[in-house]
Amino acid sequence: MLLGAYKLRAFELADEVALLTYKFTSGFPREEQFDLTSQMRRAAVSVPSNFVEGCGRDSDADFVRFLDMAYGSLRELEYQTSLATRLGFAPAESELPDRLIETSKVLAALIRSRRKPNS
């Protein structure tokens, strides 16, 4: 897969994770609105937002730094999704957990590819 296509796939997955997170959290208890719901949504929006901000930077080093931040937010969201599931807040059927795993793999591979020195 060409790097440009890989970048596009990583962004599409990150964007889908944000949308799925809003759906995932929509049925959480009302008392969680300003706690776990808000935290998960902020982390989810942070992933594609950091990706887009990194794309607007002038250097690969800056781009990778923003991808690292996106990856950190993604890992945070993975934990929060697991916690919500264990607390019984999660909807019975959700694509979010599987999409988080796929996004994590694609984003990690993109970060590795951008860190490799040019030969």
Side-chain angles (χ1 to χ4, degrees), residues 24 28 36 79-91 97:
F24 186 85
F28 281 19
L36 190 56
Y79 169 74
Q80 293 160 346
T81 300
S82 170
L83 178 62
T85 301
R86 289 179 282 134
L87 290 170
F89 298 164

Side-chain angles (χ1 to χ4, degrees), residues 80-119:
Q80 293 160 346
T81 300
S82 170
L83 178 62
T85 301
R86 289 179 282 134
L87 290 170
F89 298 164
E93 295 294 322
S94 175
E95 297 174 54
L96 183 60
D98 290 338
R99 195 63 71 235
L100 286 167
I101 292 168
E102 182 181 3
T103 306
S104 181
K105 289 177 182 178
V106 170
L107 190 54
L110 179 59
I111 291 168
R112 279 191 310 274
S113 75
R114 300 304 288 200
R115 280 203 175 116
K116 287 184 180 176
N118 294 333
S119 328

Side-chain angles (χ1 to χ4, degrees), residues 4-55:
Y6 209 67
K7 279 174 54 176
L8 179 60
R9 181 67 181 145
F11 174 77
E12 288 172 340
L13 286 168
D15 183 60
E16 186 177 359
V17 161
L19 294 172
L20 288 171
T21 299
Y22 270 77
K23 291 177 187 174
F24 186 85
T25 59
S26 66
F28 281 19
R30 185 165 172 76
E31 62 270 10
E32 287 298 324
Q33 181 178 0
F34 299 107
D35 295 321
L36 190 56
T37 302
S38 177
Q39 187 72 19
M40 287 182 72
R41 288 178 174 185
R42 279 195 311 273
V45 170
S46 177
V47 179
S49 296
N50 275 301
F51 193 98
V52 169
E53 188 169 355
C55 283

